[in-house]
Amino acid sequence: MAQSQVGQTLDFQSDIYRDAFSRINGIVIEGEQEAYDNFIWLASLLPNHAAELTRLGKMERRHSKSFEACGRNLDVLPDLEFARQFFADLRHAFLTAATSDRIATCLLIQGLVIECFAIAAYNNYIPVADDFARKITEAVVADEYLHLNFGEVWLKAHFVAVKAELEEANRQILPLIWRMLNQVEQDAGAIGMSKQSLITEFLGRYSEALGEIGFSTRDILRMVSHGLTAKDS
Ligand code: PL3
Ligand code: FE2
Ligand code: FE2
């Protein structure tokens, strides 16, 4: 038993917890696996950084294995079919960009948006996780900051050339993230996380990343709320 962010008592053995966890656990296992695929794609698009990107990709594969262990520890089977559906639009957007050499779009999707989403999710999960999953998630989130940093550094170095492409990619991708958050809201609530604090942390991290690569405060304010409606926040 543990106390959640939203005030309820969490029973890791209850049917409600385990049912929600099967989808959340599926999402993180599949999300980490797709992050691995994305880094391998990026390694082929950026041959000068191939060794580094492959190294980051392998970290994602380890994250996926670590989250599998979290499911096993609670004797929960991850719902991977649900998870593939959950990521389908984002995956499609990444693959379309990768096959048309839109490197900045790929980096925005994997290097900024997905990493900020993961950091927000994991930091919100840590205080409400079971002891086993907490230790694992703490180690995982430390790696995600490195992944976010790779995207920031490359995009900052190419900012003038990629600014317009990033604005376009942002317009395309953020609505998908709000839809995904809405879709996970109930299950996240059942394991003790609040959607509002997920959104707040995601927006903070993503705004900071956009500022780091060169966008002005004005640009950022316009970009980060794209597609976010009153019912979402
Ligand atoms: C990047 O390294 C991996 C991307 C994984 C994406 C995870 C997004 C998770 C959103 C679901 C919120 C619940 C989180 C619970 C954490 C175990
Ligand atoms: Fe990861
Ligand atoms: Fe990552």
Side-chain angles (χ1 to χ4, degrees), residues 24 27-28 31-32 35 60 114-115 117-118 121-122 125 144 193:
I24 298 279
I27 287 173
V28 293
E32 295 289 355
E60 306 292 27
I114 295 181
E115 298 298 350
F117 193 32
Y122 300 162
Y125 175 59
E144 308 303 6
M193 296 162 64

Side-chain angles (χ1 to χ4, degrees), residues 5 8 27 35 39 64 83 89-90 113 121-122 130 137-138 168 185 194 197 211:
Q5 286 181 336
Q8 89 257 38
I27 287 173
F39 276 108
S64 189
D89 290 349
L90 203 54
V113 172
Y122 300 162
D130 64 84
T137 309
E138 280 167 350
E168 170 62 29
E185 175 177 13
S194 93
S197 61

